Amino acid sequence: EPEVTQTPSHQVTQMGQEVILRCVPISNHLYFYWYRQILGQKVEFLVSFYNNEISEKSEIFDDQFSVERPDGSNFTLKIRSTKLEDSAMYFCASTRGDGYTFGSGTRLTVV
Amino acid sequence: QKEVEQNSGPLSVPEGAIASLNCTYSDRGSQSFFWYRQYSGKSPELIMSIYSNGDKEDGRFTAQLNKASQYVSLLIRDSQPSDSATYLCAGSFSGGYNKLIFGAGTRLAVHP
């Protein structure tokens, strides 16, 4: 069964550093998303991406965050100048309309 | 503000029983609903999607949607200990391939 692949599975970074989280969505999917889940809390929407541009972003997705689809397969989330409160699981998801498939996630720990 | 509400549980059922999970949502313009299962430390795994009023069955799972009451439910028949997880209800509002809004999840514990 097709999968959404995320790397790395776990990243530890120092506060103030930049991180890039990577995702390979399912190949025939057209809509891509990033969500995050702080430990013990809800899954929260960050941003959606379609046709090489952001289609919607949440209040969380401020200037610290950016997304990119640098080639035909990868979809990245960049967090500039990380803060302690950015520590969370970050999930990539994709869909072609019949259900949203989530990647296995990247656990980001900011120390 | 579009919201999805779930009872956090835990819901404890004996093995072999029916587990009933419920969810309400705030926006009548909602289109699609999804039930995800999430094991601790893992990503959400899609169990069922439902788009129209009524019931939808898939194996041991039945999803029910009542748009008039803004209510979604998931029934798990013949519950197994391996079903123990957090069940997330999510809605996609305003049609298309919009973002999912998740409830906080209901923790289900199936005891032998």
Side-chain angles (χ1 to χ4, degrees), chain B residues 17-58:
Chain B
I18 295 175
S20 177
L21 304 159
N22 305 312
C23 169
T24 57
Y25 59 92
S26 62
D27 184 356
R28 287 190 175 274
S30 57
Q31 298 292 316
S32 313
F33 294 90
F34 304 86
W35 283 99
Y36 284 86
R37 177 174 61 200
Q38 187 177 34
Y39 294 110
S40 182
K42 303 296 185 184
S43 64
E45 175 192 2
L46 181 65
I47 299 174
M48 296 277 292
S49 58
I50 187 164
Y51 306 106
S52 53
N53 279 324
D55 295 359
K56 180 181 177 183
E57 188 173 316
D58 184 0

